[in-house]
Amino acid sequence: MAYFDVFNGDADGICALHQLRMAEPLESTLITGVKRDISLLKRVEAVDGDELTVLDISLDKNRPALERLLDQGVRVRYFDHHYAGDIPKNGKLSAVIDPSAEVCTGLLVDRFLGGKYRVWAIVAAFGDNLDASARSAAESLSLDENQLIKLRELGIYINYNAYGASIEDLYYSPTQLFQSVHSFKDPFEFIAESDTFKRLQAGYAQDMEKTKALRPELESDKHALYLLPAESWARRVSGVLGNQLAQDAPNRAHALLTSLPEGGYVVSVRAPLATKTGADELCRAFPTGGGRRAAAGINHLPDQLFSTFTAKFQEIFA
């Protein structure tokens, strides 16, 4: 029997798997990728009797591969908070899926484990820009405000590392980052002792400094749309910048369109934090689009669809 762990390369996916494998240690094949690389199940070569754990990737975007694996006799345990569509009815599938706007996969795993490693679920929620949910989860722990600030920074830095067009854009591959995180049971020890944390902290500060020169192409009290250049730093900050803008203006929707060298854009959308809805509806209207209600994206928006996207963005968040 072989074990496979398939997970999103962002803070939520990494922290969800970290919790699970602290509770259930085993040797597994790790399959992950950059934030936008979510069609991961097609890379799994498993056979009858193997076991697969999937964390923080859309079932809807992986449906054909999931059905293939189930038909081959693979047992699958699925934790996720993205839009799933119809969940297959199969005795070999155990699905813990909740697309509610206030949860992330790390919090779903926390529920499953009865809060055993809740501090890492808090990191996951902060990384997913769910500050209220993170603080709510922290109420059961004896954490002071300074500790919560440190956990929030950690979540942001792990999430920041996931964004890029390829692994080469990142400071660490998601596999490397998971392995670094997984060597620490206590996140505060990771923050204090890990060179990985220090490198991400410095890289984040340098990249975010460059964003200060950005100005919106479209701006109103309801929306703001930014264009970012086709540069590695811009690809790295697109997600965390969207989260920061959402925090700074919670009644406004934000779209960040990062130019691609081959033409077109990669798109990050944040719904207003006041409503946390509409981002997935917007992005699923375009090929390669998907996500969740509060935060979604499009892997490739062709140049000729720019005006269509802009109109739809303003319509949905009117």
Short mmCIF file of all heavy atoms in Angstrom, two decimals, residues 54-108:
data_model
loop_
_atom_site.label_atom_id
_atom_site.label_comp_id
_atom_site.label_asym_id
_atom_site.label_seq_id
_atom_site.Cartn_x
_atom_site.Cartn_y
_atom_site.Cartn_z
N VAL A 54 -6.35 14.51 0.14
CA VAL A 54 -6.37 15.72 -0.69
C VAL A 54 -6.76 16.91 0.18
O VAL A 54 -7.75 16.84 0.91
CB VAL A 54 -7.36 15.58 -1.86
CG1 VAL A 54 -7.23 16.75 -2.82
CG2 VAL A 54 -7.15 14.26 -2.60
N LEU A 55 -6.00 18.00 0.07
CA LEU A 55 -6.23 19.15 0.93
C LEU A 55 -6.18 20.45 0.14
O LEU A 55 -5.19 20.75 -0.54
CB LEU A 55 -5.17 19.21 2.03
CG LEU A 55 -5.13 17.99 2.95
CD1 LEU A 55 -3.70 17.53 3.15
CD2 LEU A 55 -5.76 18.30 4.29
N ASP A 56 -7.28 21.19 0.18
CA ASP A 56 -7.33 22.57 -0.28
C ASP A 56 -7.19 22.72 -1.80
O ASP A 56 -6.62 23.69 -2.27
CB ASP A 56 -6.25 23.40 0.43
CG ASP A 56 -6.54 24.90 0.37
OD1 ASP A 56 -7.72 25.28 0.48
OD2 ASP A 56 -5.59 25.69 0.22
N ILE A 57 -7.73 21.78 -2.55
CA ILE A 57 -7.86 21.97 -4.00
C ILE A 57 -9.28 21.60 -4.40
O ILE A 57 -9.88 20.70 -3.84
CB ILE A 57 -6.83 21.16 -4.82
CG1 ILE A 57 -6.98 19.66 -4.60
CG2 ILE A 57 -5.41 21.61 -4.51
CD1 ILE A 57 -6.14 18.81 -5.54
N SER A 58 -9.81 22.32 -5.38
CA SER A 58 -11.21 22.17 -5.77
C SER A 58 -11.51 20.78 -6.31
O SER A 58 -10.86 20.32 -7.26
CB SER A 58 -11.55 23.23 -6.83
OG SER A 58 -12.78 22.92 -7.46
N LEU A 59 -12.52 20.15 -5.73
CA LEU A 59 -12.98 18.86 -6.27
C LEU A 59 -13.53 19.05 -7.68
O LEU A 59 -13.30 18.21 -8.56
CB LEU A 59 -14.05 18.26 -5.34
CG LEU A 59 -14.52 16.84 -5.63
CD1 LEU A 59 -15.04 16.19 -4.34
CD2 LEU A 59 -15.63 16.80 -6.68
N ASP A 60 -14.24 20.15 -7.89
CA ASP A 60 -14.83 20.39 -9.20
C ASP A 60 -13.77 20.45 -10.29
O ASP A 60 -13.99 19.97 -11.41
CB ASP A 60 -15.62 21.69 -9.17
CG ASP A 60 -16.46 21.89 -10.41
OD1 ASP A 60 -17.28 21.00 -10.72
OD2 ASP A 60 -16.30 22.94 -11.07
N LYS A 61 -12.60 21.03 -9.99
CA LYS A 61 -11.53 21.15 -10.97
C LYS A 61 -10.74 19.85 -11.13
O LYS A 61 -9.92 19.72 -12.05
CB LYS A 61 -10.57 22.27 -10.56
CG LYS A 61 -11.20 23.66 -10.55
CD LYS A 61 -11.57 24.11 -11.95
CE LYS A 61 -12.10 25.53 -11.94
NZ LYS A 61 -12.52 25.98 -13.29
N ASN A 62 -10.96 18.89 -10.23
CA ASN A 62 -10.22 17.63 -10.27
C ASN A 62 -11.14 16.42 -10.45
O ASN A 62 -10.72 15.29 -10.24
CB ASN A 62 -9.41 17.46 -8.99
CG ASN A 62 -8.21 18.38 -8.94
OD1 ASN A 62 -7.12 18.05 -9.41
ND2 ASN A 62 -8.40 19.57 -8.38
N ARG A 63 -12.39 16.68 -10.85
CA ARG A 63 -13.39 15.62 -10.88
C ARG A 63 -12.99 14.41 -11.75
O ARG A 63 -13.06 13.26 -11.28
CB ARG A 63 -14.72 16.20 -11.35
CG ARG A 63 -15.89 15.22 -11.27
CD ARG A 63 -17.18 15.87 -11.74
NE ARG A 63 -17.42 17.13 -11.06
CZ ARG A 63 -17.94 17.22 -9.82
NH1 ARG A 63 -18.29 16.12 -9.19
NH2 ARG A 63 -18.13 18.40 -9.26
N PRO A 64 -12.58 14.58 -13.02
CA PRO A 64 -12.25 13.39 -13.83
C PRO A 64 -11.15 12.54 -13.21
O PRO A 64 -11.25 11.30 -13.18
CB PRO A 64 -11.82 13.99 -15.17
CG PRO A 64 -12.48 15.33 -15.23
CD PRO A 64 -12.47 15.82 -13.82
N ALA A 65 -10.11 13.19 -12.70
CA ALA A 65 -9.01 12.43 -12.10
C ALA A 65 -9.46 11.74 -10.82
O ALA A 65 -9.06 10.60 -10.53
CB ALA A 65 -7.83 13.36 -11.82
N LEU A 66 -10.30 12.42 -10.02
CA LEU A 66 -10.81 11.81 -8.80
C LEU A 66 -11.64 10.58 -9.12
O LEU A 66 -11.48 9.51 -8.49
CB LEU A 66 -11.65 12.83 -8.02
CG LEU A 66 -12.39 12.29 -6.79
CD1 LEU A 66 -11.40 11.75 -5.76
CD2 LEU A 66 -13.28 13.37 -6.17
N GLU A 67 -12.53 10.70 -10.09
CA GLU A 67 -13.37 9.55 -10.45
C GLU A 67 -12.53 8.40 -10.99
O GLU A 67 -12.82 7.23 -10.72
CB GLU A 67 -14.42 10.00 -11.47
CG GLU A 67 -15.45 10.95 -10.85
CD GLU A 67 -16.44 11.50 -11.85
OE1 GLU A 67 -16.15 11.44 -13.07
OE2 GLU A 67 -17.51 12.01 -11.43
N ARG A 68 -11.47 8.71 -11.74
CA ARG A 68 -10.56 7.66 -12.23
C ARG A 68 -9.91 6.92 -11.07
O ARG A 68 -9.88 5.68 -11.05
CB ARG A 68 -9.49 8.28 -13.12
CG ARG A 68 -8.32 7.34 -13.46
CD ARG A 68 -7.26 8.02 -14.31
NE ARG A 68 -6.62 9.15 -13.66
CZ ARG A 68 -5.61 9.05 -12.80
NH1 ARG A 68 -5.16 7.84 -12.43
NH2 ARG A 68 -5.06 10.13 -12.28
N LEU A 69 -9.42 7.66 -10.08
CA LEU A 69 -8.75 7.04 -8.94
C LEU A 69 -9.72 6.20 -8.11
O LEU A 69 -9.38 5.09 -7.68
CB LEU A 69 -8.12 8.13 -8.07
CG LEU A 69 -6.91 8.84 -8.71
CD1 LEU A 69 -6.62 10.15 -7.99
CD2 LEU A 69 -5.68 7.94 -8.69
N LEU A 70 -10.93 6.70 -7.90
CA LEU A 70 -11.92 5.92 -7.16
C LEU A 70 -12.27 4.64 -7.89
O LEU A 70 -12.40 3.56 -7.28
CB LEU A 70 -13.17 6.77 -6.93
CG LEU A 70 -13.03 7.97 -5.98
CD1 LEU A 70 -14.28 8.85 -6.04
CD2 LEU A 70 -12.77 7.51 -4.55
N ASP A 71 -12.43 4.72 -9.22
CA ASP A 71 -12.75 3.54 -10.02
C ASP A 71 -11.62 2.51 -9.97
O ASP A 71 -11.86 1.31 -10.14
CB ASP A 71 -13.01 3.94 -11.47
CG ASP A 71 -14.33 4.68 -11.65
OD1 ASP A 71 -15.16 4.62 -10.72
OD2 ASP A 71 -14.52 5.33 -12.69
N GLN A 72 -10.39 2.99 -9.73
CA GLN A 72 -9.25 2.08 -9.65
C GLN A 72 -9.10 1.46 -8.26
O GLN A 72 -8.18 0.65 -8.05
CB GLN A 72 -7.95 2.83 -10.01
CG GLN A 72 -7.87 3.21 -11.48
CD GLN A 72 -6.71 4.15 -11.79
OE1 GLN A 72 -6.61 4.68 -12.89
NE2 GLN A 72 -5.82 4.37 -10.83
N GLY A 73 -9.98 1.83 -7.33
CA GLY A 73 -9.94 1.23 -6.01
C GLY A 73 -9.11 2.00 -4.99
O GLY A 73 -8.81 1.48 -3.90
N VAL A 74 -8.77 3.25 -5.31
CA VAL A 74 -8.00 4.08 -4.39
C VAL A 74 -8.95 4.69 -3.35
O VAL A 74 -10.00 5.22 -3.71
CB VAL A 74 -7.26 5.19 -5.15
CG1 VAL A 74 -6.48 6.08 -4.18
CG2 VAL A 74 -6.32 4.59 -6.20
N ARG A 75 -8.57 4.63 -2.09
CA ARG A 75 -9.34 5.28 -1.03
C ARG A 75 -8.92 6.74 -0.95
O ARG A 75 -7.72 7.04 -0.90
CB ARG A 75 -9.14 4.58 0.31
CG ARG A 75 -9.59 3.13 0.32
CD ARG A 75 -9.64 2.58 1.73
NE ARG A 75 -10.69 3.22 2.50
CZ ARG A 75 -11.97 2.82 2.49
NH1 ARG A 75 -12.35 1.80 1.73
NH2 ARG A 75 -12.86 3.43 3.23
N VAL A 76 -9.89 7.65 -0.92
CA VAL A 76 -9.60 9.09 -0.97
C VAL A 76 -10.28 9.79 0.20
O VAL A 76 -11.48 9.62 0.43
CB VAL A 76 -10.07 9.71 -2.30
CG1 VAL A 76 -9.75 11.21 -2.31
CG2 VAL A 76 -9.44 9.01 -3.49
N ARG A 77 -9.49 10.58 0.91
CA ARG A 77 -10.02 11.45 1.96
C ARG A 77 -9.79 12.89 1.49
O ARG A 77 -8.68 13.28 1.16
CB ARG A 77 -9.30 11.19 3.27
CG ARG A 77 -9.85 11.95 4.45
CD ARG A 77 -9.28 11.43 5.76
NE ARG A 77 -7.83 11.34 5.76
CZ ARG A 77 -7.10 11.11 6.85
NH1 ARG A 77 -7.69 10.95 8.01
NH2 ARG A 77 -5.79 11.04 6.79
N TYR A 78 -10.87 13.68 1.45
CA TYR A 78 -10.83 14.99 0.78
C TYR A 78 -11.27 16.09 1.74
O TYR A 78 -12.38 16.08 2.25
CB TYR A 78 -11.79 14.95 -0.42
CG TYR A 78 -11.37 15.78 -1.61
CD1 TYR A 78 -11.10 15.17 -2.83
CD2 TYR A 78 -11.26 17.17 -1.53
CE1 TYR A 78 -10.72 15.91 -3.94
CE2 TYR A 78 -10.88 17.91 -2.64
CZ TYR A 78 -10.60 17.28 -3.84
OH TYR A 78 -10.23 18.03 -4.92
N PHE A 79 -10.38 17.05 2.01
CA PHE A 79 -10.69 18.22 2.83
C PHE A 79 -10.57 19.47 1.96
O PHE A 79 -9.51 19.73 1.38
CB PHE A 79 -9.69 18.36 3.99
CG PHE A 79 -9.71 17.25 4.99
CD1 PHE A 79 -8.91 16.13 4.81
CD2 PHE A 79 -10.49 17.33 6.14
CE1 PHE A 79 -8.91 15.10 5.74
CE2 PHE A 79 -10.49 16.31 7.08
CZ PHE A 79 -9.70 15.18 6.88
N ASP A 80 -11.65 20.27 1.90
CA ASP A 80 -11.56 21.47 1.06
C ASP A 80 -12.67 22.46 1.38
O ASP A 80 -13.71 22.08 1.93
CB ASP A 80 -11.62 21.10 -0.42
CG ASP A 80 -11.31 22.28 -1.32
OD1 ASP A 80 -10.34 23.01 -1.03
OD2 ASP A 80 -12.04 22.50 -2.29
N HIS A 81 -12.45 23.72 0.99
CA HIS A 81 -13.47 24.77 1.21
C HIS A 81 -13.80 25.52 -0.08
O HIS A 81 -14.44 26.57 -0.02
CB HIS A 81 -13.00 25.74 2.30
CG HIS A 81 -11.81 26.59 1.91
ND1 HIS A 81 -11.78 27.95 2.10
CD2 HIS A 81 -10.63 26.26 1.36
CE1 HIS A 81 -10.61 28.43 1.70
NE2 HIS A 81 -9.90 27.43 1.24
N HIS A 82 -13.38 25.01 -1.22
CA HIS A 82 -13.72 25.63 -2.50
C HIS A 82 -15.02 25.04 -3.06
O HIS A 82 -15.50 24.00 -2.58
CB HIS A 82 -12.59 25.43 -3.51
CG HIS A 82 -11.29 26.04 -3.10
ND1 HIS A 82 -10.35 25.35 -2.38
CD2 HIS A 82 -10.79 27.28 -3.30
CE1 HIS A 82 -9.32 26.15 -2.14
NE2 HIS A 82 -9.56 27.32 -2.69
N TYR A 83 -15.53 25.68 -4.09
CA TYR A 83 -16.72 25.16 -4.78
C TYR A 83 -16.44 23.74 -5.26
O TYR A 83 -15.43 23.49 -5.93
CB TYR A 83 -17.08 26.07 -5.95
CG TYR A 83 -18.16 25.51 -6.85
CD1 TYR A 83 -19.50 25.62 -6.48
CD2 TYR A 83 -17.84 24.89 -8.06
CE1 TYR A 83 -20.49 25.11 -7.29
CE2 TYR A 83 -18.83 24.38 -8.88
CZ TYR A 83 -20.15 24.49 -8.49
OH TYR A 83 -21.14 23.98 -9.30
N ALA A 84 -17.34 22.82 -4.94
CA ALA A 84 -17.11 21.42 -5.28
C ALA A 84 -18.05 20.89 -6.35
O ALA A 84 -17.72 19.92 -7.04
CB ALA A 84 -17.25 20.55 -4.03
N GLY A 85 -19.23 21.49 -6.51
CA GLY A 85 -20.22 20.88 -7.38
C GLY A 85 -20.74 19.61 -6.74
O GLY A 85 -20.70 19.42 -5.52
N ASP A 86 -21.23 18.69 -7.55
CA ASP A 86 -21.75 17.43 -7.03
C ASP A 86 -20.60 16.55 -6.53
O ASP A 86 -19.64 16.30 -7.26
CB ASP A 86 -22.53 16.68 -8.11
CG ASP A 86 -23.82 17.41 -8.50
OD1 ASP A 86 -24.36 18.13 -7.63
OD2 ASP A 86 -24.26 17.26 -9.65
N ILE A 87 -20.71 16.09 -5.30
CA ILE A 87 -19.68 15.23 -4.73
C ILE A 87 -20.00 13.78 -5.11
O ILE A 87 -21.11 13.30 -4.88
CB ILE A 87 -19.63 15.39 -3.21
CG1 ILE A 87 -19.26 16.85 -2.86
CG2 ILE A 87 -18.63 14.42 -2.59
CD1 ILE A 87 -19.34 17.17 -1.39
N PRO A 88 -19.05 13.06 -5.71
CA PRO A 88 -19.31 11.68 -6.14
C PRO A 88 -19.77 10.81 -4.96
O PRO A 88 -19.25 10.93 -3.85
CB PRO A 88 -17.95 11.20 -6.66
CG PRO A 88 -17.23 12.46 -7.07
CD PRO A 88 -17.69 13.50 -6.08
N LYS A 89 -20.72 9.96 -5.23
CA LYS A 89 -21.20 9.02 -4.22
C LYS A 89 -20.44 7.71 -4.42
O LYS A 89 -20.72 6.93 -5.32
CB LYS A 89 -22.71 8.80 -4.37
CG LYS A 89 -23.54 10.04 -4.03
CD LYS A 89 -25.02 9.78 -4.22
CE LYS A 89 -25.86 10.96 -3.74
NZ LYS A 89 -25.51 12.23 -4.43
N ASN A 90 -19.44 7.51 -3.58
CA ASN A 90 -18.57 6.35 -3.70
C ASN A 90 -18.09 5.98 -2.31
O ASN A 90 -17.63 6.85 -1.55
CB ASN A 90 -17.38 6.69 -4.61
CG ASN A 90 -16.55 5.47 -4.97
OD1 ASN A 90 -16.02 4.78 -4.10
ND2 ASN A 90 -16.42 5.21 -6.27
N GLY A 91 -18.19 4.71 -1.98
CA GLY A 91 -17.80 4.26 -0.65
C GLY A 91 -16.34 4.45 -0.33
O GLY A 91 -15.95 4.42 0.85
N LYS A 92 -15.51 4.66 -1.34
CA LYS A 92 -14.08 4.86 -1.10
C LYS A 92 -13.72 6.33 -0.91
O LYS A 92 -12.56 6.66 -0.68
CB LYS A 92 -13.26 4.26 -2.25
CG LYS A 92 -13.34 2.74 -2.32
CD LYS A 92 -12.34 2.16 -3.27
CE LYS A 92 -12.39 0.63 -3.24
NZ LYS A 92 -11.98 0.08 -1.93
N LEU A 93 -14.73 7.22 -1.00
CA LEU A 93 -14.49 8.65 -0.84
C LEU A 93 -15.06 9.13 0.49
O LEU A 93 -16.24 8.94 0.79
CB LEU A 93 -15.13 9.44 -1.98
CG LEU A 93 -15.09 10.97 -1.85
CD1 LEU A 93 -13.65 11.49 -1.88
CD2 LEU A 93 -15.91 11.63 -2.95
N SER A 94 -14.21 9.79 1.28
CA SER A 94 -14.64 10.47 2.49
C SER A 94 -14.37 11.96 2.27
O SER A 94 -13.21 12.37 2.16
CB SER A 94 -13.85 9.96 3.70
OG SER A 94 -14.14 10.73 4.85
N ALA A 95 -15.45 12.75 2.20
CA ALA A 95 -15.30 14.16 1.84
C ALA A 95 -15.72 15.06 3.00
O ALA A 95 -16.83 14.97 3.51
CB ALA A 95 -16.14 14.48 0.61
N VAL A 96 -14.79 15.93 3.41
CA VAL A 96 -15.07 16.98 4.40
C VAL A 96 -14.95 18.29 3.63
O VAL A 96 -13.86 18.86 3.52
CB VAL A 96 -14.10 16.92 5.58
CG1 VAL A 96 -14.42 18.03 6.58
CG2 VAL A 96 -14.14 15.56 6.25
N ILE A 97 -16.07 18.76 3.08
CA ILE A 97 -16.06 19.93 2.21
C ILE A 97 -17.09 20.93 2.70
O ILE A 97 -18.25 20.59 2.91
CB ILE A 97 -16.33 19.53 0.75
CG1 ILE A 97 -15.19 18.65 0.24
CG2 ILE A 97 -16.51 20.76 -0.14
CD1 ILE A 97 -15.38 18.13 -1.18
N ASP A 98 -16.64 22.16 2.90
CA ASP A 98 -17.51 23.22 3.38
C ASP A 98 -17.08 24.52 2.70
O ASP A 98 -16.04 25.08 3.01
CB ASP A 98 -17.38 23.36 4.90
CG ASP A 98 -18.30 24.43 5.48
OD1 ASP A 98 -18.93 25.17 4.70
OD2 ASP A 98 -18.37 24.53 6.73
N PRO A 99 -17.90 25.03 1.74
CA PRO A 99 -17.51 26.25 1.02
C PRO A 99 -17.91 27.54 1.72
O PRO A 99 -17.87 28.61 1.12
CB PRO A 99 -18.27 26.09 -0.30
CG PRO A 99 -19.52 25.36 0.09
CD PRO A 99 -19.12 24.42 1.19
N SER A 100 -18.29 27.46 3.00
CA SER A 100 -18.67 28.67 3.72
C SER A 100 -17.54 29.69 3.69
O SER A 100 -16.36 29.34 3.75
CB SER A 100 -19.00 28.33 5.18
OG SER A 100 -20.03 27.37 5.26
N ALA A 101 -17.91 30.95 3.65
CA ALA A 101 -16.92 32.02 3.50
C ALA A 101 -16.04 32.19 4.73
O ALA A 101 -14.97 32.80 4.64
CB ALA A 101 -17.63 33.34 3.20
N GLU A 102 -16.44 31.65 5.86
CA GLU A 102 -15.69 31.87 7.11
C GLU A 102 -14.74 30.73 7.45
O GLU A 102 -14.09 30.78 8.50
CB GLU A 102 -16.67 32.07 8.27
CG GLU A 102 -17.67 33.20 8.08
CD GLU A 102 -17.01 34.55 7.89
OE1 GLU A 102 -15.91 34.76 8.46
OE2 GLU A 102 -17.58 35.40 7.18
N VAL A 103 -14.63 29.72 6.61
CA VAL A 103 -13.76 28.59 6.93
C VAL A 103 -12.69 28.43 5.87
O VAL A 103 -12.82 28.90 4.74
CB VAL A 103 -14.55 27.26 7.07
CG1 VAL A 103 -15.59 27.37 8.14
CG2 VAL A 103 -15.15 26.83 5.74
N CYS A 104 -11.61 27.76 6.25
CA CYS A 104 -10.57 27.36 5.32
C CYS A 104 -10.27 25.88 5.58
O CYS A 104 -10.79 25.29 6.53
CB CYS A 104 -9.31 28.22 5.49
SG CYS A 104 -8.52 28.07 7.11
N THR A 105 -9.44 25.29 4.77
CA THR A 105 -9.17 23.87 4.92
C THR A 105 -8.46 23.58 6.24
O THR A 105 -8.72 22.56 6.88
CB THR A 105 -8.33 23.37 3.73
OG1 THR A 105 -9.01 23.68 2.52
CG2 THR A 105 -8.12 21.87 3.80
N GLY A 106 -7.57 24.47 6.65
CA GLY A 106 -6.90 24.28 7.94
C GLY A 106 -7.88 24.21 9.10
O GLY A 106 -7.69 23.42 10.03
N LEU A 107 -8.94 25.01 9.04
CA LEU A 107 -9.96 24.97 10.09
C LEU A 107 -10.81 23.70 10.00
O LEU A 107 -11.26 23.17 11.03
CB LEU A 107 -10.85 26.21 10.01
CG LEU A 107 -10.19 27.53 10.43
CD1 LEU A 107 -11.10 28.72 10.10
CD2 LEU A 107 -9.84 27.52 11.91
N LEU A 108 -11.03 23.19 8.79
CA LEU A 108 -11.76 21.94 8.64
C LEU A 108 -10.97 20.77 9.22
O LEU A 108 -11.52 19.89 9.88
CB LEU A 108 -12.08 21.68 7.16
CG LEU A 108 -13.02 22.66 6.48
CD1 LEU A 108 -13.22 22.28 5.01
CD2 LEU A 108 -14.36 22.70 7.19
#
